[in-house]
Each structure stands twice: as C-alpha cells, then as structure tokens.
C-alpha cells in the first residue's frame, strides 16, 4: 500500500459498533436487558443496546455512552466479551461489533428507553424473543463468559442484593448454568467456602421456625476461596 504524506494508508475500513449484554437477577430469574429498535434495520425487533463507535472514544467509552443513552443504565464494571465479524451480520454493510457484558444489582434495574430505543425491558434468559442481527450468538457468548466469571471472581454477589438467602443464590446459579443443583451439596459447599457471613436476625424472626436465614458476601474470605479448586 502507498503511504500518504499524513502518515495514513489508503485502505478499506469497516464500520465498528458496540453491543451491551447487561444481566440482572430479580430473586427468581436471571434477566438480560433488551431494547426494541426504533429504526431500520430490524425496526421493532429486540436487540442489545449499542451503536456506532465515535471517532474520539474508546470501545468501552462507546459502550457506556450507548447504554446510558438508550436505557439510562450506568453499570460500574464492563467486561469485554468478544469481537463479532461475520461477513453478513449487518445488512447495512461490513460491520464489526465488540460486545461488552455487565451486571447490576436488583436495586439498579430501573430503565428508560431513549435515543434509538423505542422500548427497554428485562427478559428472563430462558424466555428471550427473537433477536436482531447476530445478537443471539452474542448472548450465548456473553452467558458463557458469565459462567467463567462465576468460577473466578465474586460476580454472583454483584447480581444479588446485599443480603440474600441461599435459595435465592441457588436459583441464580441454576439460571446461569442452565441446570439444577442438589440443594444440600450446593448449600454445604457455599457455607464451608468462607464466602458467606450469616446476618443476625431480629427477635421476631428467631421465634419463627420457618424464618429464612440471610447472608452477605464475606469479602475477607474471598482470598481463601481463590486458593481452592471450586467446582459445582
């Protein structure tokens, strides 16, 4: 290729977009955030919040901006999932998308559609509608990354309330991994992991034989947890 005087090269450039896969947990189901597209292509179809990369921003900055504009959400932590570059993934032309995953607590799930989104809504991961573009493929990859993250970092506790029950935690793991866990083994492993601290109950709760036990994440026990081979 011939080099020009301003230190650029004359070559073809694809468009670059970002997509956001945001997970939440409502105590019963693992959910993912979708927007209903206001414009073509795929007008009125459900998709992940996202858009085109601006000239003077990084990929993560673009992902944060698009998510904020289209849903009002601003999660603290973003994890890059992968780049998606199938030749026919976008009918507008050759477009490469970089997807990001993030999680929010149950108290942070309020959304409001804006910009290119006609609607914004949470869907259980087991009941997703047909998605635009290649977003079903992006979702499967993001869920796979979430599963890996659960084994290597305390991501589960970023999806739960500050105080939670073990049945709630087991329901979260069931949805993330797509399979059931034996209740006794699940609770035994977590109670012996050092990751949980039981929350003191008030006198009224202690008088009830059916009062649930509540826990919170023990950050101090996480270092010891990392030393163990943790397999469910």
């Amino acid at each position: 290729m011939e080099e020009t005087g301003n230190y650029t090269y004359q070559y073809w450039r694809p468009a670059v977009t970002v997509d956001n896969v945001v997970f939440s947990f409502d105590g019963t189901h693992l959910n993912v955030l979708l927007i209903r597209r206001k414009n073509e292509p795929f007008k009125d179809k459900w998709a992940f919040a996202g858009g085109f990369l601006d000239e003077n921003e990084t990929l993560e900055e673009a992902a944060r901006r698009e998510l904020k504009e289209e849903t009002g959400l601003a999660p603290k932590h973003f994890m890059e999932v992968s780049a998606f570059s199938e030749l026919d993934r976008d009918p507008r032309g050759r477009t490469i998308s970089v997807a990001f995953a993030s999680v929010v607590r149950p108290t942070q799930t309020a959304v409001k559609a804006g910009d290119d989104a006609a609607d914004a809504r949470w869907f259980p991961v087991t009941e997703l509608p047909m998605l635009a573009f290649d977003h079903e493929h992006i979702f499967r990859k993001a869920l796979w990354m979430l599963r890996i993250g659960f084994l290597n970092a305390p991501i589960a506790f970023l999806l739960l309330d500050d105080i939670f029950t073990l049945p709630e935690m087991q329901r979260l793991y069931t949805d993330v991994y797509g399979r059931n866990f034996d209740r006794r083994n699940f609770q035994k492993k977590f109670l012996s992991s050092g990751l949980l601290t039981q929350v003191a109950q008030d006198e009224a709760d202690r008088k009830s034989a059916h009062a649930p036990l509540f826990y919170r994440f023990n950050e101090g026990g996480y270092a010891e947890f990392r030393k163990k081979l943790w397999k469910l």
Side-chain angles (χ1 to χ4, degrees), residues 73-196:
L73 282 186
K76 289 184 178 180
H77 306 291
F78 279 66
M79 175 177 64
E80 186 174 319
V81 174
S82 185
F84 298 85
S85 60
E86 287 79 1
L87 299 181
D88 59 350
R89 63 175 306 277
D90 192 327
R92 292 168 295 192
R94 185 69 193 281
T95 305
I96 296 172
S97 185
V98 179
F100 289 82
S102 55
V103 298
V104 295
R105 293 188 185 277
T107 55
Q108 302 168 332
T109 57
V111 294
K112 183 178 180 180
D115 196 37
D116 295 330
D119 192 7
R121 195 181 307 172
W122 295 98
F123 287 83
V125 296
T126 56
E127 301 175 13
L128 295 185
M130 184 175 295
L131 301 179
F133 301 102
D134 58 348
H135 287 192
E136 183 179 349
H137 178 45
I138 292 176
F139 166 73
R140 291 197 301 268
K141 186 65 175 287
L143 184 59
W144 179 73
M145 292 286 288
L146 186 67
R147 291 169 179 168
I148 294 176
F150 264 44
L151 294 175
N152 295 284
I155 294 177
F157 302 103
L158 298 177
L159 282 159
L160 293 161
D161 276 321
D162 180 54
I163 296 174
F164 53 86
T165 66
L166 283 175
E168 287 174 338
M169 190 174 186
Q170 184 168 346
R171 287 194 290 270
L172 171 60
Y173 271 75
T174 294
D175 267 11
V176 169
Y177 286 98
R179 66 182 181 92
N180 294 319
F181 296 96
D182 179 79
R183 181 182 62 83
R184 290 185 178 181
N185 286 340
F186 183 91
Q187 295 188 4
K188 180 180 179 181
K189 288 186 176 183
F190 271 103
L191 289 174
S192 64
S193 68
L195 288 174
L196 305 180

Side-chain angles (χ1 to χ4, degrees), residues 1-4 8-13:
M1 291 180 289
E2 180 182 354
E3 185 176 0
T4 64
T8 61
Y9 294 93
Q10 295 178 354
Y11 59 90
W12 167 81
R13 296 177 178 85

